């Protein structure tokens, strides 16, 4: 029988609730349990697919083509939970389903209300998220306790706990102990108030995870315990990590968190937790043999969350090569205004990530030309790959007008144009080419060497493609079509063979990497950056 863990957050947002939830999953898997992971988001968009990265950070994509919250990336990087459309529900998705039922007449005769109809739908979503037969289903509630829009979710999980029984449901509340520099002390009041808010709704947290900058004293834990009605041993410190998010699960274990979770769920560990491999990983991160600096040239560079999976994937590539990866975050517009020499000098590799629209596109093309001509290892992802094709068409093939039809629909030389299947699409939400597609690799290419397999599956999120009308001209000029989707006849990977390592991919390899299983393309990209440096 599945047991359930709900993770809520209080005081402020951005406490690392997704990371902590992922760490809970990691710990439970290491104890021999199977887990599922789910995020409930209180906003009204059906999914984050139509939101700007400035609003929401990166849009994560799953194998089944769901556009989802970036916390799902943490879940996949830390655990082996199966992540699907059922792993992320928003208020919009819940309401859409209820309204569809109402229109069908499923509630005939009734007034449709938040309680019970919306809360029932949320409870159904929680059960769906618990993929078949897992031992423990972990559900993170987005937002901060006290927000108006979180209320139906909190009410639903309160009801849920009542239905499943005391030892089958655990509430973990993540909170902040702010340190006031002026008085030199940490404060418990915000934690007391946010737990108070939860208790008003009828939820008594079993475990409090307290984010702190400084160590939490015994007296402080006692005070929190007393005021929040949580046993002292269940008041857990989660101090800011020193250098890597991969420290979080080990730090929580050190605080006895693993035992508390099992106690509350009335479970015994199925096996002794082994952490040697993880410790090894952390020691590689701490004492790397090499160091490279990689420029990430994009449009949303001010916001770390906008390229979260890309940055993680680069670090994973670094772990595989015992290499510290320093990031140089460069605005594509700055490249256009200040020139490549000024902003890209000295980097060992260049990555151009995915993106949309006109802003920054010319800067990306200049960046790619610089990487190609100066033989700097290059990885282009999605829009970055499309920009690489535009650069090659303009600067090698000599098609000066070459561009993408994404923002120039009347251009004469559309080397990147709308996919056939996209031409009839009118709604923008959830209608891109999304999710996992096969890609057959060309023998002898850098990509085939990286993957070590002739056929791979990767995740997509785009509307435009390399225009097949230009394929043979690009090839004749020296561009290698290193990967294709045979069914749809789409080019998925381009390479420039006369270069140490120049790879552009139409898909998003950054969504399929784990610290222990780094993505082959990121691994080899970092490898090339190391070789070219020395
Ligand atoms: N804007 C491009 C397209 O839609 C690329 C999308 C992306 O980089 N994710 O095809």
């Amino acid at each position: 029988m599945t047991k359930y863990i709900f993770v809520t957050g209080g005081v402020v947002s951005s406490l690392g609730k997704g990371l902590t939830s992922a760490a809970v999953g990691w710990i439970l898997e290491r104890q021999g349990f199977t887990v599922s992971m789910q995020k409930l988001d209180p906003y009204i968009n059906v999914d984050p697919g139509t939101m700007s990265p400035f609003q929401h950070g990166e849009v994560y994509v799953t194998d089944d083509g769901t556009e989802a919250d970036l916390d799902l990336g943490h879940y996949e990087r830390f655990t082996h939970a199966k992540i699907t459309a059922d792993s992320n529900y928003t208020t919009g998705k819940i309401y859409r389903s209820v309204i569809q039922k109402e229109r069908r007449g499923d509630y005939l005769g009734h007034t449709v209300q938040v309680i019970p109809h919306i809360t029932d739908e949320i409870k159904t979503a929680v059960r769906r998220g618990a993929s078949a037969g897992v031992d423990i289903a972990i559900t993170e509630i987005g937002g901060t306790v006290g927000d108006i829009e979180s209320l139906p979710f909190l009410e639903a999980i309160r009801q849920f706990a009542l239905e499943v029984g005391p030892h089958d449901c655990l509430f973990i509340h993540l909170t902040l102990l702010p340190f006031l520099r002026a008085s030199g002390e940490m404060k418990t009041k915000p934690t007391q108030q946010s737990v108070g808010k939860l208790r008003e709704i009828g939820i008594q947290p079993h475990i409090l995870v307290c984010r702190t900058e400084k160590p939490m004293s015994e007296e402080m834990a006692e005070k929190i315990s007393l005021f929040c009605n949580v046993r002292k041993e269940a008041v857990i410190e989660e101090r800011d990590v020193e250098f890597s998010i991969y420290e979080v699960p080990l730090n929580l274990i050190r605080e006895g968190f693993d035992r508390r979770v099992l106690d509350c769920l009335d479970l015994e560990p199925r096996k002794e937790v082994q952490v040697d491999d993880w410790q090894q990983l952390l020691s590689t991160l701490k004492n790397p043999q090499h160091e490279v600096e990689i420029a990430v040239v994009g449009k949303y560079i001010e916001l770390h969350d906008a390229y979260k999976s890309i940055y993680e994937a680069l670090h994973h590539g670094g772990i595989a090569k015992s290499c510290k990866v320093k990031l140089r975050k460069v605005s594509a517009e700055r490249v256009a205004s200040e020139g490549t020499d000024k902003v890209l000098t000295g980097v060992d590799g260049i990555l151009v990530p995915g993106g949309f629209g006109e802003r920054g596109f010319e800067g990306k093309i200049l960046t790619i030309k610089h990487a190609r001509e100066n033989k700097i290892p290059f990885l282009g992802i999605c829009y970055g790959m499309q920009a690489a094709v535009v650069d090659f068409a303009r600067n090698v093939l000599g098609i000066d007008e070459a561009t993408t039809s994404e923002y120039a629909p009347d251009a004469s030389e559309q080397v990147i144009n709308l996919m056939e299947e996209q031409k009839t699409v009118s709604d923008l939400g959830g209608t891109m080419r999304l999710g996992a597609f096969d890609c057959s690799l060309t023998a002898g290419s850098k990509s085939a060497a990286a993957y070590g397999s002739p056929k791979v599956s990767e995740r997509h999120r785009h509307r435009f493609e390399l225009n097949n009308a230009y394929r043979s001209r690009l090839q004749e000029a020296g561009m290698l079509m290193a990967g294709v989707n045979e069914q749809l006849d789409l080019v998925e990977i381009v390479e420039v063979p006369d270069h140490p390592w120049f790879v552009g991919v139409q898909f998003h390899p950054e969504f399929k990497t784990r610290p222990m299983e780094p993505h082959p393309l990121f691994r080899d990209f970092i490898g090339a950056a190391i070789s070219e440096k020395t």
Side-chain angles (χ1 to χ4, degrees):
M1 212 189 74
T2 302
K3 298 194 182 237
Y4 294 84
I5 297 179
F6 294 103
V7 183
T8 55
V11 184
V12 291
S13 59
S14 305
L15 278 184
K17 203 154 21 88
L19 194 55
T20 303
S21 304
V24 174
W26 184 96
I27 291 169
L28 289 165
E29 281 191 347
R30 294 269 165 154
Q31 288 170 321
F33 299 99
T34 54
V35 301
S36 63
M37 305 279 320
Q38 182 185 50
K39 172 99 190 264
L40 303 179
D41 276 309
Y43 54 75
I44 295 172
N45 303 60
V46 170
D47 62 43
T50 56
M51 273 190 243
S52 151
F54 284 126
Q55 290 281 311
H56 189 271
E58 150 190 295
V59 175
Y60 193 76
V61 182
T62 59
D63 267 343
D64 70 358
T66 307
E67 295 175 281
D69 186 81
L70 59 81
D71 279 334
L72 272 67
H74 288 308
Y75 304 165
E76 283 208 308
R77 288 186 284 270
F78 276 80
T79 75
H80 295 87
K82 192 169 174 340
I83 301 295
T84 66
D86 285 329
S87 311
N88 196 188
Y89 281 85
T90 66
T91 295
K93 196 161 157 183
I94 296 286
Y95 269 77
R96 182 176 67 177
S97 167
V98 169
I99 290 168
Q100 280 167 350
K101 286 183 185 168
E102 186 273 336
R103 291 291 82 186
R104 265 201 322 260
D106 291 7
Y107 308 114
L108 222 49
H110 294 275
T111 307
V112 181
Q113 294 180 301
V114 172
I115 304 170
H117 302 98
I118 295 296
T119 48
D120 279 355
E121 196 67 28
I122 295 170
K123 287 186 280 180
T124 305
V126 169
R127 288 189 198 280
R128 277 202 214 111
S131 30
V134 290
D135 298 317
I136 300 166
I138 301 165
T139 294
E140 173 192 349
I141 317 293
T144 308
V145 168
D147 294 347
I148 290 176
E149 53 184 14
S150 317
L151 278 175
F153 288 100
L154 296 172
E155 166 60 16
I157 64 172
R158 180 196 67 77
Q159 294 173 16
F160 195 93
L162 205 62
E163 289 166 20
V164 294
H167 288 295
D168 294 334
C169 185
L170 162 64
F171 291 111
I172 299 175
H173 187 58
L174 186 67
T175 172
L176 175 72
L177 300 182
F179 175 75
L180 296 191
R181 232 161 271 283
S183 59
E185 52 178 355
M186 292 204 302
K187 289 292 182 189
T188 65
K189 188 73 80 194
T191 296
Q192 294 175 38
Q193 286 181 338
S194 95
V195 173
K197 275 271 167 231
L198 265 183
R199 292 169 68 194
E200 253 171 47
I201 298 160
I203 295 174
Q204 169 63 57
H206 303 95
I207 299 180
L208 290 179
V209 176
C210 304
R211 287 297 312 276
T212 68
E213 200 185 323
K214 311 245 176 224
M216 175 177 70
S217 64
E218 284 289 307
E219 301 80 65
M220 189 145 283
E222 266 159 27
K223 186 170 173 191
I224 295 168
S225 163
L226 185 65
F227 282 92
C228 298
N229 198 31
V230 173
R231 289 180 66 83
K232 180 172 162 256
E233 64 272 21
V235 179
I236 305 285
E237 170 191 300
E238 188 188 323
R239 201 154 1 129
D240 296 352
V241 291
E242 263 173 59
F243 69 99
S244 165
I245 56 169
Y246 299 110
E247 292 170 71
V248 171
L250 297 189
N251 291 353
L252 286 173
I253 288 177
R254 209 167 301 123
E255 295 299 315
F257 177 74
D258 51 333
R259 290 190 301 279
R260 289 293 79 73
V261 169
L262 292 198
D263 283 354
C264 293
L265 291 173
D266 202 15
L267 287 170
E268 288 295 326
R270 297 227 173 112
K271 60 182 190 198
E272 208 184 313
V273 177
Q274 290 295 336
V275 296
D276 296 354
D277 55 343
W278 206 258
Q279 250 150 3
Q280 178 60 43
L281 180 149
L282 290 173
S283 99
T284 308
L285 280 170
K286 263 189 201 155
N287 308 301
Q289 286 168 11
H290 310 279
E291 178 172 323
V292 292
E293 185 173 10
I294 303 293
V296 177
V297 182
K299 181 167 150 186
Y300 309 104
I301 229 71
E302 308 85 330
L303 188 73
H304 187 82
D305 275 1
Y307 303 114
K308 188 127 203 153
S309 294
I310 300 257
Y311 298 143
E312 286 308 306
L314 285 169
H315 292 307
H316 297 175
I319 293 168
K321 297 284 179 187
S322 187
C323 179
K324 179 181 163 106
V325 177
K326 269 178 66 185
L327 300 170
R328 189 186 298 184
K329 300 175 181 175
V330 180
S331 141
E333 284 170 295
R334 241 190 94 203
V335 178
S337 61
E338 295 178 27
T340 47
D341 286 344
K342 176 133 188 243
V343 285
L344 295 172
T345 300
V347 295
D348 306 304
I350 294 178
L351 187 150
V352 177
F356 294 84
E358 186 170 6
R359 186 166 73 80
F361 193 62
E362 290 302 322
K364 290 178 185 173
I365 291 171
L366 286 174
T367 301
I368 294 164
K369 179 169 183 278
H370 176 83
R372 189 174 48 73
E373 291 180 346
N374 293 290
K375 310 269 187 225
I376 302 168
F378 167 77
L379 178 57
I381 293 177
C382 209
Y383 212 25
M385 172 268 200
Q386 296 174 358
V389 173
V390 173
D391 158 57
F392 202 84
R394 280 188 197 171
N395 300 315
V396 179
L397 260 178
I399 309 175
D400 294 344
E401 304 296 310
T403 191
T404 165
S405 67
E406 175 162 345
Y407 66 83
D410 302 321
S412 55
E413 304 275 7
Q414 302 180 2
V415 291
I416 303 295
N417 69 351
L418 202 57
M419 280 182 283
E420 206 43 50
E421 67 193 47
Q422 286 289 327
K423 291 189 175 150
T424 50
V425 167
S426 56
D427 284 358
L428 294 184
T431 55
M432 285 190 238
R433 179 185 182 215
L434 289 167
F437 288 87
D438 285 343
C439 172
S440 302
L441 303 172
T442 306
S445 63
K446 303 244 177 21
S447 307
Y451 284 103
S453 146
K455 201 169 200 169
V456 295
S457 168
E458 290 284 2
R459 298 180 188 171
H460 292 250
R461 180 172 185 257
H462 61 112
R463 292 186 203 281
F464 297 83
E465 60 162 329
L466 187 152
N467 182 348
N468 281 332
Y470 288 87
R471 201 149 141 181
S472 53
R473 284 168 73 190
L474 290 163
Q475 277 170 310
E476 280 154 24
M479 183 164 251
L480 175 69
M481 305 299 141
V484 289
N485 179 290
E486 284 162 1
Q487 270 146 344
L488 301 167
D489 194 25
L490 296 178
V491 174
E492 308 282 35
I493 310 180
V494 295
E495 292 183 12
V496 174
D498 176 24
H499 186 285
W501 208 88
F502 187 105
V503 178
V505 294
Q506 183 58 79
F507 47 80
H508 290 272
E510 72 272 24
F511 296 144
K512 286 182 78 169
T513 176
R514 292 192 161 99
M516 297 289 187
E517 299 152 51
H519 193 285
L521 290 178
F522 281 91
R523 182 199 62 213
D524 282 14
F525 173 50
I526 297 299
I530 298 170
S531 319
E532 289 309 300
K533 185 180 177 163
T534 49

